[in-house]
Amino acid sequence: MRALLISSAFVAAFASSAPAVAAPTSLLPTEPEAAQPSSRLVPLAADSAWMPRFAAAADKLAEALRSRDEAQWAPLLGGQWLSAADRARVRNLLGDRNSPFLPALLSEDVTRRVILGWNAPASLSAEERAAIEAGPEAEALVCWSAGSNDTARWPETAVEADNRAGRSYACARIAYSIRGETPSWRAFIEQREPA
């Protein structure tokens, strides 16, 4: 026991007399990463296996949002996992006179809809594109706009699908999964304030 106490005292004395060592610096120079450009959005191909799934989800979501009934739209946006702040934000989007949702979904004009996916890089092979198409999960943006003008502008990147006041369209992101026995999806409504 005495030997243990002496060796412990010796280690403590040695540790207190040793100079502090600074954290090692990297031998590799680092530079800030270059910002990646936003991926371009393109209309989902009409013959995509995902198109009927996203179209049905978009129809159900539009109907729930038009009702303005939280009991109808909240389950589609995450149900019990939808935070109180997100519930309030969606409630405000559906009631705000400047919101893009009012003219896009709640006006008496004809509502147009587009389902957008991300443009795959040209470097992908045909096999890689087929694997993505056949995958068990996919995401798309659905956007609505009022009026019958077929030349109206849709978002070109996901950043523009921000449901900011003044947009001529309102958008939601739908994440779809066909894993397991029952296909499922969840919608997300993002909002970004002007800078």
Side-chain angles (χ1 to χ4, degrees), residues 8-116:
S8 296
F10 179 70
V11 169
F14 180 73
S16 64
S17 65
V21 178
T25 58
S26 174
L27 299 176
L28 301 173
T30 58
E31 294 181 22
E33 289 185 31
Q36 297 295 321
S38 297
S39 294
R40 303 304 257 168
L41 297 172
V42 294
L44 198 60
D47 62 349
S48 168
W50 289 99
M51 180 56 99
R53 295 178 181 120
F54 283 120
D59 289 345
K60 187 170 183 177
L61 180 60
E63 181 181 332
L65 293 171
R66 278 187 189 105
S67 75
R68 296 189 196 183
D69 180 4
E70 188 170 337
Q72 290 188 42
W73 56 257
L76 305 178
L77 298 174
Q80 66 184 7
W81 295 282
L82 185 62
S83 71
D86 285 338
R87 283 177 189 270
R89 188 175 45 75
V90 172
R91 208 177 304 117
N92 290 340
L93 275 171
L94 296 175
D96 182 359
R97 292 178 52 184
N98 296 319
S99 166
F101 278 92
L102 291 183
L105 285 175
L106 303 169
S107 73
E108 294 183 14
D109 288 341
V110 174
T111 297
R112 294 179 310 110
R113 178 189 75 196
V114 66
I115 299 175
L116 303 166

Side-chain angles (χ1 to χ4, degrees), residues 152-192:
R153 187 177 162 274
W154 295 107
E156 293 180 11
T157 65
V159 172
E160 295 173 10
D162 58 3
N163 298 308
R164 208 171 65 207
R167 294 280 192 211
S168 61
Y169 49 80
C171 299
R173 180 172 51 92
I174 297 175
Y176 210 110
S177 174
I178 55 173
R179 291 184 187 273
E181 295 178 15
T182 307
S184 62
W185 60 272
R186 178 180 175 186
F188 300 85
I189 295 177
E190 279 95 16
Q191 183 181 26
R192 185 173 58 90

Side-chain angles (χ1 to χ4, degrees), residues 139-154:
E139 282 191 2
L141 285 171
V142 58
C143 297
W144 301 275
S145 181
S148 58
N149 182 359
D150 289 334
T151 61
R153 187 177 162 274
W154 295 107

